[in-house]
């Protein structure tokens, strides 16, 4: 019986079974169409399969334990990442920001430096320019304002994340800078101007704590 058929019938590794047979001196190799094929006498198959399974059982158990340990370690890693993300989101939601330089009822115990958060949006195609009613575009101003609100909020989010990365829980002196950029894109030897509106939220990252003296 060919070892290929044995492996299929008993759901074992052909390579490992052949290595076992070579080690115990069982079976024989026969050439078939230029390929060496290993055989084992039919009446010897059950005995050697049983011995093979007994031999590799500790190896399979060790591998199973290794895979289990890896799975548990990955689960712990994912849990730690989820807890860290939850902690971060809670800290960001509680982070205080102000255009001033202090918070009532708090005192600043550490200044960590100037930080910024940026966002940009392509005006052409990305910014909703209003509704066409057949005669003229309506509500263009509102549509542009809504788009600016979106990128300003994103810039603030990045500003908070920059503060969080520095271990801070507040940002003071917050203001916004707006600029427009028109980089060019070359398509079929034709230059296209791509107008962007960019916003930068600036501030100083600080650590604050409750002032119990007030």
């Amino acid at each position: 019986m060919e070892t290929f058929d044995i492996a299929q019938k008993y759901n074992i590794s052909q390579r490992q079974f052949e290595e076992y047979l070579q080690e115990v001196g069982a079976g024989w190799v026969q050439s078939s169409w230029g390929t060496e094929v290993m055989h084992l006498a039919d009446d010897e198959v059950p005995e050697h399969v049983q011995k093979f399974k007994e031999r590799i059982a500790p190896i399979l158990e060790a591998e199973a334990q290794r895979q289990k340990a890896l799975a548990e370690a990955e689960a712990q890693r994912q849990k730690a990442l989820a807890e860290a993300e939850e902690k971060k989101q809670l800290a960001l939601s509680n982070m205080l920001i102000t255009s001033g330089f202090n918070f009532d009822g708090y005192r600043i115990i550490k200044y960590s430096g100037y930080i910024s958060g940026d966002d940009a949006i392509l005006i052409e195609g990305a910014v909703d320019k209003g509704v066409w009613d057949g005669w003229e575009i309506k509500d263009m101003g509102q549509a542009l304002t809504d788009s600016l609100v979106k990128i300003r909020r994103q810039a603030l989010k990045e500003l908070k994340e920059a503060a969080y990365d520095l271990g801070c829980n507040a940002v003071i002196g917050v203001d916004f800078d707006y600029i427009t950029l028109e980089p060019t894109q070359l398509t079929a030897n034709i230059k296209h101007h791509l107008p962007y509106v960019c916003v930068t939220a600036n501030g100083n990252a600080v650590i604050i704590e409750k002032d119990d003296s007030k």
Side-chain angles (χ1 to χ4, degrees), residues 185-200:
Q185 176 178 299
L186 187 62
T187 304
N189 295 323
I190 300 176
K191 287 186 177 181
H192 300 276
H193 293 280
L194 304 175
Y196 282 84
V197 174
C198 308
V199 60
T200 299

Side-chain angles (χ1 to χ4, degrees), residues 6 10 12 17 44-53:
I6 297 173
Y10 292 95
I12 58 178
F17 186 60
E44 296 180 4
V45 170
E47 176 187 355
H48 280 293
V49 167
Q50 180 62 31
K51 290 181 178 179
F52 170 72
K53 287 184 175 181

Side-chain angles (χ1 to χ4, degrees), residues 108-208:
I108 297 174
I109 62 174
K110 181 181 179 180
Y111 292 83
S112 292
Y114 181 83
I115 57 174
S116 64
D118 308 283
D119 196 24
I121 190 168
L122 176 63
I123 297 177
E124 187 64 34
V127 175
D128 184 1
K129 295 182 179 180
V131 179
W132 175 258
D133 65 358
W135 297 95
E136 61 181 345
I137 296 176
K138 301 292 186 180
D139 299 324
M140 178 183 290
Q142 185 61 49
L144 292 173
T145 300
D146 292 343
S147 297
L148 287 176
V149 168
K150 290 179 182 179
I151 61 175
R152 187 164 59 241
R153 287 176 177 172
Q154 180 62 32
L156 276 177
K157 179 182 178 182
E158 292 192 8
L159 185 74
K160 286 184 175 183
E161 290 183 350
Y164 179 83
D165 291 341
L166 291 175
C168 296
N169 60 355
V171 186
I172 61 173
V174 175
D175 65 1
F176 295 92
D177 293 325
Y178 297 90
I179 61 172
T180 57
L181 299 175
E182 290 194 11
T184 58
Q185 176 178 299
L186 187 62
T187 304
N189 295 323
I190 300 176
K191 287 186 177 181
H192 300 276
H193 293 280
L194 304 175
Y196 282 84
V197 174
C198 308
V199 60
T200 299
N202 310 291
N204 285 276
V206 296
I207 298 178
I208 59 175

Side-chain angles (χ1 to χ4, degrees), residues 18-32:
E18 289 179 350
E19 290 175 352
Y20 157 78
L21 293 178
Q22 291 173 353
E23 184 178 338
V24 299
W28 71 93
V29 176
Q30 181 178 338
S31 295
S32 176

Side-chain angles (χ1 to χ4, degrees), residues 103 105-110 207-213:
F103 300 93
Y106 292 86
R107 62 190 182 93
I108 297 174
I109 62 174
K110 181 181 179 180
I207 298 178
I208 59 175
E209 64 177 19
K210 283 281 190 178
D211 189 352
D212 297 329
S213 64

